[in-house]
Amino acid sequence: MEKVSIKLAGAVALALCCVATLSAEVRLPKMLSDHAVLQREAPIHIWGWAEPGEKLTAHFHDQTVSTEATKFGEWSLWLMPEHAGGPYALTVDGSSKVTVEDLLVGDVWFASGQSNMEMPLRGFPNSAVIKNSAEEIAHADLPQVRLLLVGQKSSDVPLNDISGSWTQCNPTTAAEFSAVAYFFGREIQQKEHVPVGLIDATWGGTPVDSWISLHSLGADASLMPAFANRAEFAQDQARINQIIAEEKREDAEAIAAHRTPAKHPWHPRQESWTPAGLFNGMVAPATAYTIKGAIWYQGETDSSTVRSPMYHRLFPALISDWRAQWKQGNFPFLFVQIS
């Protein structure tokens, strides 16, 4: 019994040691990965996590900046503005060292919205296609353009990191990336002759209030109908499983009778229609990253009789909200209006 206790105590001690070692590792967010583009001519924000109180030093190009992690293990520092250029490496030293390489300095654009912006260069399977898609993809080897595809994620609270990391722009990565963002970035790179970083944070068939922070939605009484719309949507979803099952039964019955199945209403994923849900999961993690501006293509979901009267208030609220969240002033916000 005593030997068992000694072995158990040893195992616990070893496990605690491993946990301590893991928690002490210096980490960067996935947005600060190999192949990233950092915004030129503006203060560059670098942040991450380490052991509480740990002293850290960042080295980038000709700059060296030090900071200290908070009691929560969070750290943050700012680099002086840089001219367009690269590739460079970023190293952060603490009790451990983390290095990211092949970083360029140029213009960073945040692309967001619903399916119009989400549609990849290859097009949607069995649906919308991009003109000359195959040819465009074949010529998408652009070393000065970098792509970051944000995974679709809804959250009740603002997240501090994303899934996905930066990639070089080539036929493989461009094929799965927003076509609108790709053409936008390619044109800027060709005209400005600077590196361009594109962040694709999109989700098809989503309403504008899903992309606005809860703070902004709750601070303006005129935006309260967004929550009433959510309540109505939630009520409609109460029988969604039975509705889908019935639609499948009807389809099977039609096929068995050699008839064309009736067209059923589209059913969005419930979490993507949560007010502030997509802001929390896909926008909030990026607001710490210095950008040039945003491009937006959305509005069709808000064109229904119930939602359209609110769009003229919600969309300007989104623009103001994002500019406030990024704390960069009135950065360019370019959009296509389809509501």
Side-chain angles (χ1 to χ4, degrees):
M1 185 69 175
E2 185 177 348
K3 289 182 179 180
V4 173
S5 298
I6 292 174
K7 288 181 179 180
L8 179 60
V12 171
L14 179 60
L16 290 174
C17 180
C18 290
V19 171
T21 300
L22 288 173
S23 65
E25 290 182 353
V26 178
R27 290 196 298 119
L28 292 169
K30 293 183 179 67
M31 297 198 71
L32 291 169
S33 70
D34 292 346
H35 315 305
V37 176
L38 304 176
Q39 180 58 43
R40 63 172 170 151
E41 314 295 349
I44 300 171
H45 191 207
I46 306 296
W47 75 101
W49 301 271
E51 188 72 13
E54 184 173 354
K55 292 177 169 47
L56 306 114
T57 301
H59 307 275
F60 178 77
H61 196 192
D62 296 326
Q63 300 192 50
T64 299
V65 180
S66 297
T67 189
E68 183 175 314
T70 68
K71 62 182 180 180
F72 300 112
E74 302 165 345
W75 58 267
S76 172
L77 58 85
W78 291 87
L79 300 173
M80 294 294 292
E82 294 265 355
H83 297 300
Y88 305 118
L90 167 68
T91 299
V92 181
D93 293 306
S95 59
S96 62
K97 181 168 73 172
V98 60
T99 300
V100 288
E101 300 177 322
D102 189 34
L103 303 181
L104 301 179
V105 177
D107 287 338
V108 181
W109 288 89
F110 189 85
S112 189
Q114 59 180 96
S115 61
N116 309 78
M117 184 69 82
E118 180 187 9
M119 183 164 56
L121 194 55
R122 62 172 171 77
F124 287 131
N126 305 316
S127 183
V129 296
I130 302 296
K131 183 179 180 180
N132 301 324
S133 176
E135 182 179 353
E136 295 289 357
I137 291 172
H139 291 88
D141 198 353
L142 306 176
Q144 291 290 293
V145 175
R146 305 296 172 82
L147 311 175
L148 174 55
L149 182 58
V150 177
Q152 293 180 340
K153 176 74 174 178
S154 180
S155 175
D156 290 332
V157 298
L159 303 182
N160 60 14
D161 208 353
I162 60 169
S163 61
S165 57
W166 288 94
T167 64
Q168 296 173 322
C169 182
N170 56 50
T172 300
T173 57
E176 305 301 322
F177 201 79
S178 163
V180 172
Y182 168 80
F183 289 124
F184 177 85
R186 185 182 69 178
E187 184 168 346
I188 289 178
Q189 199 285 315
Q190 292 174 346
K191 288 187 175 181
E192 297 291 324
H193 303 291
V194 298
V196 172
L198 302 170
I199 303 171
D200 177 350
T202 55
W203 194 324
T206 50
V208 68
D209 54 84
S210 293
W211 297 97
I212 306 173
S213 75
L214 201 58
H215 176 80
S216 289
L217 288 174
D220 186 345
S222 70
L223 303 183
M224 290 301 104
F227 296 100
N229 287 338
R230 172 60 183 180
E232 189 71 22
F233 174 77
Q235 186 66 30
D236 292 341
Q237 297 300 297
R239 294 193 181 91
I240 191 64
N241 291 333
Q242 295 95 318
I243 292 173
I244 293 175
E246 176 62 18
E247 290 173 349
K248 290 181 178 179
R249 187 195 64 76
E250 292 174 357
D251 290 346
E253 186 178 84
I255 292 171
H258 305 289
R259 300 195 311 269
T260 301
K263 187 175 181 180
H264 303 297
W266 170 69
H267 303 298
R269 285 168 57 183
Q270 296 183 34
E271 69 270 26
S272 70
W273 279 43
T274 302
L278 303 188
F279 172 86
N280 289 336
M282 302 173 67
V283 180
T287 57
Y289 200 83
T290 310
I291 63 172
K292 174 70 174 180
I295 60 175
W296 176 262
Y297 201 160
Q298 189 272 339
E300 188 172 355
T301 297
D302 290 286
S303 62
S304 67
T305 303
V306 174
R307 289 182 171 272
S308 59
M310 280 298 299
Y311 197 75
H312 75 285
R313 291 179 180 173
L314 286 166
F315 184 44
L318 179 142
I319 298 173
S320 297
D321 180 42
W322 283 21
R323 286 173 170 167
Q325 296 289 338
W326 256 281
K327 299 181 176 66
Q328 291 185 213
N330 292 338
F331 60 68
F333 192 105
L334 313 179
F335 62 91
V336 178
Q337 179 66 275
I338 59 173
S339 179

